[in-house]
Amino acid sequence: MLFAILLSVVVVLCSFHYYIRYRRIGKYVSKLPGPRAWPLIGNLLTFLVPQDQLWYLVRKMGDNYYPIYKFWTLTEAIINLRHPDDVEVLLTSTQNISKSRIYELLEPWFRTGLLTSTGEKWRRRRKILTPAFHFTVLQQYLEIINENDERIVKQLRAEGESVQNILPIVSNYTLNVICETAMGTSLEGKKEFQVKYRNAVRLMGEILFHRLTKPWLKPDRLFAWFEKSRQQKEALKILHGFTSQIINEREEYHRKTGNKFLEKVNDSATDDEGSSSEEVFGIKKKRLAMLDLLIAAHHDGLIDKQGINEEVDTFMFEGHDTSAMGICFALLLLAEHKDVQERARAEVNQVLSESSGAISVTTIQRLNYLDRCVKESLRLYPSVPFISRIITHDMQLKNYLIPKDTIAHLHVYDTHRDPNFWPEPNKFDPDRFLPERIQKRHPFSYIPFSAGPRNCIGQKFAMMELKAVIAHLLHNFYLEPVDLAHEIPIITDLVIRPSRPIYMKFVSIQKDE
């Protein structure tokens, strides 16, 4: 009897292994290079490492099997891309636009908002939200950004010549900016909440990758038995509690003030960013937020209440954490490279002297060298270093056919440091982004905001925010290095995240200098 049971188990396991590895998917995937996969468990054992080691393991594998490699989970083939030719095929596809099942682990947080949705729902949401990033609306956002820049300058000046842990300072700044611009709510004076929110965001990232490397935790019913599940519930209580609060406050604001809502949002929101702010909002000289578009769309029956919550949760995270990492690494690099810092400061001072000290959209457009500094920083440290898609239609790459029902991981960090496209790839050189050098480079060798149909909807906002705050800081402080960017350990997370505090010295510049 026991022998019969064991034999049945062996037959079932062998059948499962054959089905996974030798069906159509296995036929094509077997042609790709990659580490040896064990029967049944695939490459699971390879990735059972601490989170702080996972980042460097993936980098090493990318170099060893350049430019493409595969590995197996228990049930899926993962294809890892980094060559710009292959990146272009994936990102320009109008068919393979669905995020992979990795993002299902984010659904308790974002549900199916713009980041995690696909198909018609994603297209409809993108159409509703696009006018929030129209050029004339960005001008209104810049007023809020400048106000927050002045606060951070005042805060740092009050400290005198000081060494600061810049992560919490910058994260608080970007969190308040996204709340005021996109949500119409200020967090000024709410430091306790900011700390709780930041900690909850980081915890959710840790839990995501904890579950990814331990596939037995992926089913929610099994995950519910573990301590991480309780921690996730506590984090979600903080994250969702805040978004519900700001939505209710914004709706109450509209009820009290009698502001008109956007009429026919779906008709006026176009893919080329719609019309002017007056046409979009129907109200002149008012600071209306992205949340107002969602509330208006709800009134027009284009989105339900849960949909509003989905997008607010999504933009709260995407709009603050990615920008915070971008600012932190840009400041580190400028502090380390004195010659670049001085050149950028000279440009900022010159432009501000000609604009009476005001930073406007026109001012930012004139900061050409600072623009190159920010772009080079995002090359070395892309805020989102990793993109994952499920292949829903066969995809022909340069040298391989990737069959449907596989997963494609796009490693942005490695694409940006490919020595075949970036000479001395680890060197910080803003002049890589001179127009004549850009023209000679593969257009998909630089993708800090992704590309194609699912590119980052807020990339113009992000660049404006980064340049504005860095310009203010350069105008008011000398940046001196304490930590060096290349020595900062990085952990695998939703964004590029340092595993420890980052310190830098700020020295105030006297006004008469």
Side-chain angles (χ1 to χ4, degrees):
M1 182 67 177
L2 179 60
F3 176 77
I5 294 174
L6 291 175
L7 181 62
S8 297
V9 171
V10 170
V11 170
V12 170
L13 291 176
C14 289
S15 299
F16 176 78
H17 173 72
Y18 182 85
Y19 175 75
I20 295 298
R21 302 288 177 82
Y22 295 99
R23 54 183 171 148
R24 181 174 184 269
I25 288 177
K27 173 185 174 182
Y28 287 102
V29 171
S30 63
K31 299 177 181 179
L32 276 70
R36 178 187 175 186
W38 293 92
L40 298 175
I41 64 172
N43 297 104
L44 174 62
L45 296 179
T46 302
F47 295 97
L48 288 179
V49 298
Q51 190 180 4
D52 60 347
Q53 296 180 27
L54 183 60
W55 172 269
Y56 301 100
L57 171 65
V58 173
R59 307 281 76 75
K60 183 177 180 180
M61 291 179 72
D63 290 337
N64 289 344
Y65 297 106
Y66 179 88
I68 185 173
Y69 69 96
K70 56 83 166 48
F71 63 81
W72 287 91
T73 66
L74 296 178
T75 59
E76 294 177 317
I78 311 295
I79 315 302
N80 295 269
L81 311 178
R82 62 180 283 182
H83 194 284
D85 287 344
D86 295 338
V87 169
E88 181 174 10
V89 173
L90 178 62
L91 293 186
T92 59
S93 172
T94 57
Q95 295 178 317
N96 294 308
I97 65 170
S98 297
K99 297 298 181 72
S100 78
R101 282 180 278 273
I102 286 176
Y103 293 82
E104 290 177 2
L105 298 179
L106 289 173
E107 289 185 8
W109 183 3
F110 301 133
R111 280 84 84 183
T112 50
L114 196 63
L115 176 66
T116 51
S117 61
T118 191
E120 183 55 35
K121 180 174 184 178
W122 169 77
R123 292 184 180 89
R124 187 169 60 251
R125 293 286 177 86
R126 178 102 179 188
K127 191 173 184 180
I128 291 172
L129 291 167
T130 292
F133 300 97
H134 185 276
F135 178 77
T136 51
V137 180
L138 292 179
Q139 289 179 304
Q140 298 178 21
Y141 291 165
L142 185 56
E143 296 176 11
I144 297 171
I145 290 171
N146 281 328
E147 290 171 4
N148 281 277
D149 291 347
E150 291 168 4
R151 290 189 194 119
I152 198 172
V153 167
K154 184 178 179 180
Q155 174 188 346
L156 290 171
R157 278 195 176 277
E159 297 286 341
E161 184 175 310
S162 61
V163 173
Q164 298 284 344
N165 175 10
I166 62 174
L167 278 170
I169 294 173
V170 172
S171 292
N172 287 346
Y173 162 81
T174 57
L175 185 57
N176 204 44
V177 166
I178 196 62
C179 282
E180 286 195 53
T181 56
M183 309 305 159
T185 300
S186 175
L187 295 183
E188 188 65 22
K190 300 178 181 177
K191 290 184 178 180
E192 182 180 352
F193 167 76
Q194 291 175 325
V195 172
K196 287 183 178 179
Y197 185 89
R198 287 202 323 271
N199 290 341
V201 168
R202 179 157 184 169
L203 179 58
M204 288 298 293
E206 290 176 359
I207 292 171
L208 169 69
F209 284 94
H210 180 76
R211 295 179 72 180
L212 279 179
T213 56
K214 298 171 179 60
W216 58 87
L217 294 180
K218 188 172 182 181
D220 290 336
R221 289 185 178 180
L222 289 178
F223 179 59
W225 289 88
F226 291 84
E227 173 65 15
K228 290 288 185 182
S229 176
R230 185 194 64 79
Q231 294 176 2
Q232 177 172 290
K233 289 178 181 178
E234 290 298 316
L236 290 173
K237 184 178 179 181
I238 294 170
L239 298 170
H240 288 161
F242 175 69
T243 52
S244 295
Q245 178 182 334
I246 62 174
I247 291 168
N248 292 336
E249 288 179 355
R250 196 63 179 173
E251 288 179 329
E252 181 63 21
Y253 162 78
H254 282 294
R255 281 192 291 270
K256 288 182 176 179
T257 60
N259 280 341
K260 296 180 180 179
F261 287 102
L262 174 67
E263 296 180 359
K264 299 181 180 179
V265 174
N266 199 40
D267 294 333
S268 62
T270 59
D271 290 337
D272 62 357
E273 295 190 329
S275 51
S276 70
S277 60
E278 288 81 7
E279 292 171 328
V280 169
F281 296 115
I283 302 172
K284 294 183 179 181
K285 297 181 181 179
K286 293 288 184 180
R287 282 184 177 176
L288 295 189
M290 182 198 76
L291 177 54
D292 298 307
L293 282 175
L294 294 169
I295 295 172
H298 174 60
H299 280 238
D300 287 345
L302 300 174
I303 189 172
D304 57 18
K305 290 282 287 186
Q306 179 173 308
I308 296 177
N309 280 274
E310 290 173 346
E311 301 307 341
V312 171
D313 281 317
T314 298
F315 276 85
M316 279 286 293
F317 164 70
E318 286 195 311
H320 104 272
D321 216 15
T322 54
S323 295
M325 294 305 109
I327 293 168
C328 282
F329 280 105
L331 293 176
L332 280 178
L333 289 166
L334 287 168
E336 182 178 349
H337 297 85
K338 293 290 187 181
D339 56 334
V340 175
Q341 182 186 157
E342 288 303 321
R343 185 175 171 184
R345 178 179 294 106
E347 179 186 66
V348 169
N349 291 344
Q350 176 65 30
V351 171
L352 288 181
S353 69
E354 297 170 1
S355 64
S356 302
I359 292 185
S360 64
V361 173
T362 302
T363 304
I364 287 178
Q365 291 172 340
R366 293 179 59 196
L367 297 173
N368 296 316
Y369 187 68
L370 181 59
D371 182 76
R372 299 203 296 273
C373 292
V374 172
K375 287 177 178 176
E376 174 69 344
S377 175
L378 290 174
R379 179 188 71 83
L380 287 167
Y381 299 98
S383 295
V384 180
F386 166 85
I387 298 169
S388 184
R389 301 269 179 91
I390 184 169
I391 304 305
T392 55
H393 297 75
D394 285 357
M395 184 173 69
Q396 181 63 56
L397 301 180
K398 185 176 182 180
N399 296 315
Y400 300 95
L401 185 141
I402 307 304
K404 68 176 183 178
D405 297 325
T406 55
I407 303 296
H409 287 177
L410 195 167
H411 297 279
V412 178
Y413 183 92
D414 299 315
T415 299
H416 284 186
R417 292 177 183 242
D418 189 331
N420 294 304
F421 299 91
W422 303 95
E424 297 183 90
N426 297 324
K427 179 182 178 181
F428 179 62
D429 179 12
D431 284 342
R432 295 181 198 271
F433 289 92
L434 286 167
E436 60 270 22
R437 294 176 68 175
I438 293 174
Q439 291 174 0
K440 298 176 183 178
R441 202 158 46 232
H442 195 300
F444 284 81
S445 62
Y446 181 69
I447 47 169
F449 298 104
S450 187
R454 294 206 70 150
N455 68 342
C456 174
I457 191 174
Q459 59 184 290
K460 292 180 180 178
F461 173 87
M463 286 297 292
M464 182 177 72
E465 180 183 15
L466 263 65
K467 286 191 283 188
V469 68
I470 294 171
H472 275 104
L473 292 173
L474 288 175
H475 185 60
N476 287 277
F477 301 96
Y478 296 115
L479 311 178
E480 296 186 0
V482 175
D483 288 317
L484 303 180
H486 66 277
E487 295 177 350
I488 300 294
I490 296 172
I491 57 173
T492 302
D493 205 328
L494 297 171
V495 299
I496 192 165
R497 194 180 300 283
S499 65
R500 62 171 175 81
I502 299 175
Y503 292 95
M504 192 171 68
K505 187 175 183 179
F506 292 85
V507 180
S508 295
I509 298 174
Q510 300 304 315
K511 292 299 183 178
D512 57 350
E513 287 189 38

